[in-house]
Amino acid sequence: DQQVKQNSPSLSVQEGRISILNCDYTNSMFDYFLWYKKYPAEGPTFLISISSIKDKNEDGRFTVFLNKSAKHLSLHIVPSQPGDSAVYFCAAIEGDNDMRFGAGTRLTVKP
Amino acid sequence: EAQVTQNPRYLITVTGKKLTVTCSQNMNHEYMSWYRQDPGLGLRQIYYSMNVEVTDKGDVPEGYKVSRKEKRNFPLILESPSPNQTSLYFCASSLMGGRGDNEQFFGPGTRLTVL
């Protein structure tokens, strides 16, 4: 039973345009959300996070939006760069350590 | 350099032959965990440890064992590997859980094939 879902396995965008990666969750007890980025042959690295008391968090080109009523969050990358090409995992936490990951979305940014 | 290391990075073995994947972190983190990554399923937690001698099951613990005798090391043990344990394994650590500033740091991964 996947509590965190990333329904798009892949996304392709042109360099300079916006990338929007989506994530849905089913557990209303999740209260903290994170995005991780993974390059081939490397472990995931933390990108950005958001607490359920907020609806937006920004860090440079990366912005995460949280819509609690829809149980949906999204990651916006503006402008997209070829170096952003990677697999992006959405993750959610209930309590201190019960982290659930989505299946990942492979982003390709074309020059 | 702050890091999580795993060994081996690649391993091909046969069904039933016991193996251990080591994990070590040099950041004095209390929390460590193991995940497996499978296509279409993302990362699923196998076991985690809140501190030395404290371990607990994650979502998919069957067929695995762990131990936490020292803070820096958290080995993953497959007593009798089976082909359905063929996967990409990641070890991770954080100060405490994965919230706020305590986001998890991941190792480079171990690709295991069980024939």
Side-chain angles (χ1 to χ4, degrees):
Chain A
D1 175 33
Q2 284 227 272
Q3 298 185 45
V4 179
K5 297 180 183 178
Q6 294 176 256
N7 293 317
S8 298
S10 63
L11 174 68
S12 181
V13 301
Q14 208 65 36
E15 181 179 6
R17 308 291 281 268
I18 185 171
S19 295
I20 300 177
L21 295 99
N22 293 304
C23 179
D24 297 292
Y25 60 96
T26 57
N27 184 353
S28 58
M29 300 299 290
F30 287 142
D31 58 356
Y32 200 81
F33 303 89
L34 307 92
W35 283 94
Y36 281 82
K37 176 179 179 178
K38 182 184 177 306
Y39 291 118
E42 295 181 13
T45 55
F46 171 76
L47 188 57
I48 193 169
S49 63
I50 187 168
S51 163
S52 61
I53 62 172
K54 295 185 175 182
D55 53 19
K56 178 182 173 181
N57 188 28
E58 234 175 309
D59 183 3
R61 296 186 296 114
F62 302 91
T63 303
V64 55
F65 295 92
L66 175 62
N67 182 334
K68 280 180 293 185
S69 60
K71 294 194 180 69
H72 177 84
L73 67 156
S74 60
L75 174 68
H76 293 210
I77 307 174
V78 184
S80 301
Q81 299 173 355
D84 296 329
S85 296
V87 176
Y88 290 79
F89 291 100
C90 167
I93 298 178
E94 174 187 356
D96 285 331
N97 50 52
D98 196 9
M99 187 181 285
R100 294 281 192 276
F101 284 84
T105 297
R106 182 178 301 277
L107 173 66
T108 303
V109 180
K110 297 179 179 179
Chain B
E1 181 191 352
Q3 60 182 354
V4 178
T5 57
Q6 296 177 226
N7 281 293
R9 293 290 312 278
Y10 302 91
L11 179 60
I12 300 175
T13 190
V14 295
T15 298
K17 186 175 181 183
K18 180 179 178 179
L19 67 92
T20 299
V21 184
T22 65
C23 173
S24 182
Q25 50 92 6
N26 62 1
M27 295 169 278
N28 203 34
H29 284 167
E30 293 186 349
Y31 182 91
M32 297 185 75
S33 62
W34 276 102
Y35 294 87
R36 58 179 288 173
Q37 182 191 350
D38 301 290
L41 297 175
L43 291 137
R44 294 179 293 167
Q45 192 177 55
I46 302 170
Y47 269 93
Y48 64 93
S49 168
M50 298 290 283
N51 213 325
V52 175
E53 302 292 1
V54 180
T55 63
D56 212 342
K57 297 178 180 178
D59 291 329
V60 288
E62 296 78 19
Y64 304 94
K65 284 174 57 177
V66 292
S67 69
R68 188 91 183 273
K69 294 183 170 40
E70 313 164 88
K71 201 171 190 179
R72 63 183 293 127
N73 295 324
F74 190 44
L76 179 70
I77 303 154
L78 285 73
E79 296 270 2
S80 183
S82 62
N84 65 12
Q85 291 178 298
T86 293
S87 187
L88 180 58
Y89 291 86
F90 290 100
C91 179
S93 75
S94 64
L95 276 172
M96 261 190 68
R99 316 179 62 91
D101 293 336
N102 297 325
E103 71 272 6
Q104 294 190 61
F105 292 82
F106 283 82
T110 295
R111 186 166 291 284
L112 172 65
T113 302
V114 183
L115 302 174

